[in-house]
Amino acid sequence: MSSAAAIEHATKHAQLIELLQAHGAQAIMLSTPASLAWFLGGARTHVSLGAPPIARVLVHADGCELATSVSEAQRLQNEELNALDQINIHVTGWYESLDDVGSWFGQAAAWEILDESEIESELRALRTSLSAVEIERYRQLCQDTAAVMTDVLSVVSSADSEFSVAAKLSAGAMELGGEVLVALVSSAARAGYRHPLPKGVPLGRKAMAVLCVRRHGLIANLTRWVRFEPATEQEISGESDILGVEAEILSGICAGTMLGDLLPRIQQAYPAHGFDELEWTRHHQGGIAGYSGRDPRLAPGATDRFQFNQAFTFNPSAQRDGLTFKVEDTMLLAESGAIEVLSVDPRWPAIMVNGLPRPQVLQR
């Protein structure tokens, strides 16, 4: 195991042990995709993206125990665990429950074991405070994903179908080692849908593409638009105004701020920029990012606080004059307090808004 991987693992183990001690427990069971990927340095603990993880990790003061089925153990050890020799692997039958700790690690049968749900907010705070190596992984993933958007949308035509564009975006992301969690494409005819699962409809005069791509456990989120005819005044106005809404949101982000405290700012931003005051109710607005698409999503009463070295993705969207507008990128609150746009490709047309490069519609 590399020294960097060893340090990363030891640091996260120590953080969890401190958490256990604060709760007076003897172990914690990690069972969600986000926590497993975080603790295991980005290991892939799935077979089907739509199924639960194929491993459980029990973390305790003396080490870590990983349980998985006989069909997965060798692959995990050889290809996913980065030679983490501090982790003891327990092999179960494919028909046995990984959640039955006593059956595969009898020593823990009488322990008080914390479930993730019992320490959800504290675990999230650890998971979303990114180390330098995690930030570099994330930055590269976001740049790669943005480049895939540029590569594909720079060559598609108005006659191409949503299916075709989604396939090309997904293929580009997978070629770079990514797992495509979301690939949305809306043609001009379907622009009213906030989550347009692709269909066989031609793009028409203007189209939106959304990609959420996971690699090393981290998830990049971004939205881009392409237009094949001259822009109308209503389009130009709306595209500028949605960036104004986003700028209002970003101006309220600083370390220590409670996530839910942004909601009044968002509620005021839409009408201040000429959109209906209820737009914030028609689509989720984003939230903290990292090992989950939103970790957590902004909602009324959300108490998670922004931290330095934490990523976030906000995605204001609105409709006006029969048109839809949206902006979305993955960003980082740096240790300096500055915001860095991670999902940026210098080839994509951008405009500076409050010192940040914000994407414009690609005019073809």
Side-chain angles (χ1 to χ4, degrees), residues 240-261:
S240 175
D241 286 337
I242 202 66
L243 291 178
V245 174
E246 183 195 51
E248 298 271 7
I249 299 172
L250 298 181
S251 68
I253 294 174
C254 62
T257 297
M258 200 175 294
L259 180 60
D261 288 348

mmCIF file of all heavy atoms in Angstrom, residues 240-261:
data_model
loop_
_atom_site.group_PDB
_atom_site.id
_atom_site.type_symbol
_atom_site.label_atom_id
_atom_site.label_comp_id
_atom_site.label_asym_id
_atom_site.label_seq_id
_atom_site.Cartn_x
_atom_site.Cartn_y
_atom_site.Cartn_z
ATOM 1 N N SER A 240 -29.249 35.100 -18.480
ATOM 2 C CA SER A 240 -28.542 36.024 -17.593
ATOM 3 C C SER A 240 -29.167 36.034 -16.201
ATOM 4 O O SER A 240 -28.456 36.030 -15.180
ATOM 5 C CB SER A 240 -28.562 37.433 -18.191
ATOM 6 O OG SER A 240 -27.990 38.372 -17.303
ATOM 7 N N ASP A 241 -30.478 35.986 -16.150
ATOM 8 C CA ASP A 241 -31.162 36.085 -14.863
ATOM 9 C C ASP A 241 -30.951 34.839 -13.999
ATOM 10 O O ASP A 241 -30.867 34.944 -12.772
ATOM 11 C CB ASP A 241 -32.661 36.331 -15.082
ATOM 12 C CG ASP A 241 -32.945 37.762 -15.534
ATOM 13 O OD1 ASP A 241 -32.103 38.643 -15.264
ATOM 14 O OD2 ASP A 241 -34.000 37.988 -16.164
ATOM 15 N N ILE A 242 -30.868 33.649 -14.614
ATOM 16 C CA ILE A 242 -30.656 32.449 -13.791
ATOM 17 C C ILE A 242 -29.252 32.461 -13.187
ATOM 18 O O ILE A 242 -29.036 31.980 -12.072
ATOM 19 C CB ILE A 242 -30.918 31.153 -14.600
ATOM 20 C CG1 ILE A 242 -31.221 29.987 -13.649
ATOM 21 C CG2 ILE A 242 -29.761 30.805 -15.498
ATOM 22 C CD1 ILE A 242 -32.512 30.146 -12.879
ATOM 23 N N LEU A 243 -28.293 33.057 -13.908
ATOM 24 C CA LEU A 243 -26.959 33.229 -13.325
ATOM 25 C C LEU A 243 -27.015 34.215 -12.157
ATOM 26 O O LEU A 243 -26.248 34.083 -11.189
ATOM 27 C CB LEU A 243 -25.975 33.721 -14.384
ATOM 28 C CG LEU A 243 -25.611 32.740 -15.493
ATOM 29 C CD1 LEU A 243 -24.654 33.390 -16.491
ATOM 30 C CD2 LEU A 243 -24.979 31.467 -14.925
ATOM 31 N N GLY A 244 -27.912 35.175 -12.245
ATOM 32 C CA GLY A 244 -28.097 36.103 -11.141
ATOM 33 C C GLY A 244 -28.644 35.417 -9.909
ATOM 34 O O GLY A 244 -28.220 35.706 -8.770
ATOM 35 N N VAL A 245 -29.592 34.500 -10.107
ATOM 36 C CA VAL A 245 -30.118 33.721 -8.983
ATOM 37 C C VAL A 245 -28.993 32.904 -8.342
ATOM 38 O O VAL A 245 -28.837 32.891 -7.111
ATOM 39 C CB VAL A 245 -31.261 32.793 -9.443
ATOM 40 C CG1 VAL A 245 -31.699 31.877 -8.298
ATOM 41 C CG2 VAL A 245 -32.446 33.595 -9.956
ATOM 42 N N GLU A 246 -28.206 32.240 -9.180
ATOM 43 C CA GLU A 246 -27.096 31.438 -8.647
ATOM 44 C C GLU A 246 -26.111 32.313 -7.879
ATOM 45 O O GLU A 246 -25.627 31.922 -6.802
ATOM 46 C CB GLU A 246 -26.374 30.717 -9.791
ATOM 47 C CG GLU A 246 -25.252 29.818 -9.288
ATOM 48 C CD GLU A 246 -24.306 29.384 -10.388
ATOM 49 O OE1 GLU A 246 -23.810 30.257 -11.135
ATOM 50 O OE2 GLU A 246 -24.040 28.180 -10.489
ATOM 51 N N ALA A 247 -25.809 33.488 -8.399
ATOM 52 C CA ALA A 247 -24.862 34.383 -7.727
ATOM 53 C C ALA A 247 -25.360 34.777 -6.337
ATOM 54 O O ALA A 247 -24.570 34.898 -5.391
ATOM 55 C CB ALA A 247 -24.621 35.626 -8.579
ATOM 56 N N GLU A 248 -26.663 34.967 -6.202
ATOM 57 C CA GLU A 248 -27.239 35.277 -4.889
ATOM 58 C C GLU A 248 -27.000 34.112 -3.919
ATOM 59 O O GLU A 248 -26.678 34.325 -2.744
ATOM 60 C CB GLU A 248 -28.743 35.536 -5.031
ATOM 61 C CG GLU A 248 -29.097 36.713 -5.905
ATOM 62 C CD GLU A 248 -29.165 38.017 -5.144
ATOM 63 O OE1 GLU A 248 -28.801 38.036 -3.948
ATOM 64 O OE2 GLU A 248 -29.572 39.018 -5.755
ATOM 65 N N ILE A 249 -27.186 32.889 -4.405
ATOM 66 C CA ILE A 249 -26.964 31.712 -3.553
ATOM 67 C C ILE A 249 -25.502 31.636 -3.124
ATOM 68 O O ILE A 249 -25.185 31.488 -1.935
ATOM 69 C CB ILE A 249 -27.368 30.420 -4.301
ATOM 70 C CG1 ILE A 249 -28.845 30.440 -4.669
ATOM 71 C CG2 ILE A 249 -27.052 29.192 -3.444
ATOM 72 C CD1 ILE A 249 -29.275 29.298 -5.569
ATOM 73 N N LEU A 250 -24.594 31.752 -4.090
ATOM 74 C CA LEU A 250 -23.172 31.596 -3.799
ATOM 75 C C LEU A 250 -22.669 32.667 -2.841
ATOM 76 O O LEU A 250 -21.765 32.411 -2.031
ATOM 77 C CB LEU A 250 -22.370 31.629 -5.100
ATOM 78 C CG LEU A 250 -22.678 30.517 -6.123
ATOM 79 C CD1 LEU A 250 -21.789 30.678 -7.353
ATOM 80 C CD2 LEU A 250 -22.496 29.136 -5.509
ATOM 81 N N SER A 251 -23.250 33.853 -2.901
ATOM 82 C CA SER A 251 -22.786 34.939 -2.033
ATOM 83 C C SER A 251 -23.108 34.676 -0.565
ATOM 84 O O SER A 251 -22.540 35.324 0.317
ATOM 85 C CB SER A 251 -23.403 36.269 -2.475
ATOM 86 O OG SER A 251 -24.803 36.279 -2.243
ATOM 87 N N GLY A 252 -23.995 33.712 -0.297
ATOM 88 C CA GLY A 252 -24.346 33.388 1.085
ATOM 89 C C GLY A 252 -23.573 32.232 1.667
ATOM 90 O O GLY A 252 -23.812 31.837 2.815
ATOM 91 N N ILE A 253 -22.624 31.682 0.905
ATOM 92 C CA ILE A 253 -21.887 30.500 1.358
ATOM 93 C C ILE A 253 -20.582 30.905 2.020
ATOM 94 O O ILE A 253 -19.746 31.578 1.412
ATOM 95 C CB ILE A 253 -21.619 29.551 0.174
ATOM 96 C CG1 ILE A 253 -22.935 28.987 -0.353
ATOM 97 C CG2 ILE A 253 -20.674 28.415 0.593
ATOM 98 C CD1 ILE A 253 -22.783 28.158 -1.605
ATOM 99 N N CYS A 254 -20.406 30.490 3.257
ATOM 100 C CA CYS A 254 -19.129 30.651 3.950
ATOM 101 C C CYS A 254 -19.071 29.618 5.058
ATOM 102 O O CYS A 254 -20.104 29.071 5.482
ATOM 103 C CB CYS A 254 -18.954 32.068 4.501
ATOM 104 S SG CYS A 254 -20.179 32.539 5.724
ATOM 105 N N ALA A 255 -17.869 29.307 5.507
ATOM 106 C CA ALA A 255 -17.682 28.286 6.540
ATOM 107 C C ALA A 255 -18.466 28.669 7.789
ATOM 108 O O ALA A 255 -18.426 29.813 8.240
ATOM 109 C CB ALA A 255 -16.202 28.130 6.859
ATOM 110 N N GLY A 256 -19.194 27.690 8.328
ATOM 111 C CA GLY A 256 -19.981 27.917 9.529
ATOM 112 C C GLY A 256 -21.430 28.230 9.259
ATOM 113 O O GLY A 256 -22.272 28.110 10.151
ATOM 114 N N THR A 257 -21.754 28.656 8.046
ATOM 115 C CA THR A 257 -23.144 28.947 7.700
ATOM 116 C C THR A 257 -23.948 27.652 7.656
ATOM 117 O O THR A 257 -23.498 26.641 7.130
ATOM 118 C CB THR A 257 -23.228 29.639 6.326
ATOM 119 O OG1 THR A 257 -22.550 30.892 6.393
ATOM 120 C CG2 THR A 257 -24.675 29.881 5.919
ATOM 121 N N MET A 258 -25.148 27.679 8.194
ATOM 122 C CA MET A 258 -26.019 26.518 8.170
ATOM 123 C C MET A 258 -26.680 26.408 6.795
ATOM 124 O O MET A 258 -27.156 27.411 6.241
ATOM 125 C CB MET A 258 -27.065 26.628 9.272
ATOM 126 C CG MET A 258 -27.718 25.315 9.652
ATOM 127 S SD MET A 258 -28.848 25.513 11.076
ATOM 128 C CE MET A 258 -27.673 25.926 12.372
ATOM 129 N N LEU A 259 -26.715 25.213 6.267
ATOM 130 C CA LEU A 259 -27.247 24.997 4.921
ATOM 131 C C LEU A 259 -28.661 25.552 4.784
ATOM 132 O O LEU A 259 -28.980 26.234 3.814
ATOM 133 C CB LEU A 259 -27.211 23.496 4.591
ATOM 134 C CG LEU A 259 -27.727 23.059 3.226
ATOM 135 C CD1 LEU A 259 -26.931 23.707 2.103
ATOM 136 C CD2 LEU A 259 -27.660 21.531 3.109
ATOM 137 N N GLY A 260 -29.513 25.274 5.768
ATOM 138 C CA GLY A 260 -30.891 25.730 5.695
ATOM 139 C C GLY A 260 -31.047 27.238 5.712
ATOM 140 O O GLY A 260 -32.076 27.761 5.260
ATOM 141 N N ASP A 261 -30.022 27.930 6.209
ATOM 142 C CA ASP A 261 -30.103 29.390 6.262
ATOM 143 C C ASP A 261 -30.040 30.034 4.881
ATOM 144 O O ASP A 261 -30.305 31.238 4.741
ATOM 145 C CB ASP A 261 -28.977 29.957 7.141
ATOM 146 C CG ASP A 261 -29.215 29.687 8.621
ATOM 147 O OD1 ASP A 261 -30.342 29.279 8.979
ATOM 148 O OD2 ASP A 261 -28.273 29.857 9.422
#
